Amino acid sequence: QVQLVESGGGLVQPGGSLRLSCAASGRILDINVMGWYRQAPGKGRELVASITRGGRTNYADSVKGRFTIARDNAKNTVYLQMNSLDPEDTAVYYCNAHLAPAYGLGYLDYWGQGTQVTVSS
């Protein structure tokens, strides 16, 4: 069974930094795109950043220049380095992977359980 396990959330002061990690495990044939989404209270889920197998990245305008997404294909792991954090970044952050499991259903979207990031003084 495929699982995405996130770590690294927490409480940080405005201007601070956090690093999120997400590791995909299980019988996986291939992972195409990995990314991070977030959902703030009372709002919909939005894309924060994504990265392809080849390293092409995409960022939400609100995080450009502050957040960096990276990926270790050998470890099936994606990272999100978040700098200059602002209270507006407070949300539950979810890892996403578009991957092909070994049991032959083609490419599917998988989600992590979410990790809380709170930016507050």
Side-chain angles (χ1 to χ4, degrees), residues 6-103:
E6 300 141 341
S7 60
L11 173 65
V12 64
Q13 292 186 343
S17 298
L18 280 176
R19 187 188 192 217
L20 306 183
S21 299
C22 171
S25 62
R27 297 181 62 205
I28 299 169
L29 287 180
D30 180 60
I31 303 178
N32 184 5
V33 182
M34 301 186 81
W36 291 94
Y37 289 72
R38 67 186 181 186
Q39 188 165 16
K43 295 185 178 181
R45 192 173 295 190
E46 63 174 355
L47 173 68
V48 177
S50 64
I51 184 168
T52 67
R53 186 192 310 107
R56 185 177 304 170
T57 59
N58 180 46
Y59 294 94
D61 287 344
S62 60
V63 307
K64 284 181 180 176
R66 300 188 298 124
F67 292 9
T68 302
I69 190 169
R71 175 173 172 172
D72 186 332
N73 291 330
K75 296 181 179 179
N76 288 343
T77 299
V78 63
Y79 307 94
L80 186 68
Q81 178 66 42
M82 305 184 292
N83 298 329
S84 302
L85 282 161
D86 184 90
E88 291 291 313
D89 297 314
T90 296
V92 178
Y93 284 69
Y94 296 91
C95 175
N96 170 268
H98 189 62
L99 61 85
Y103 39 86

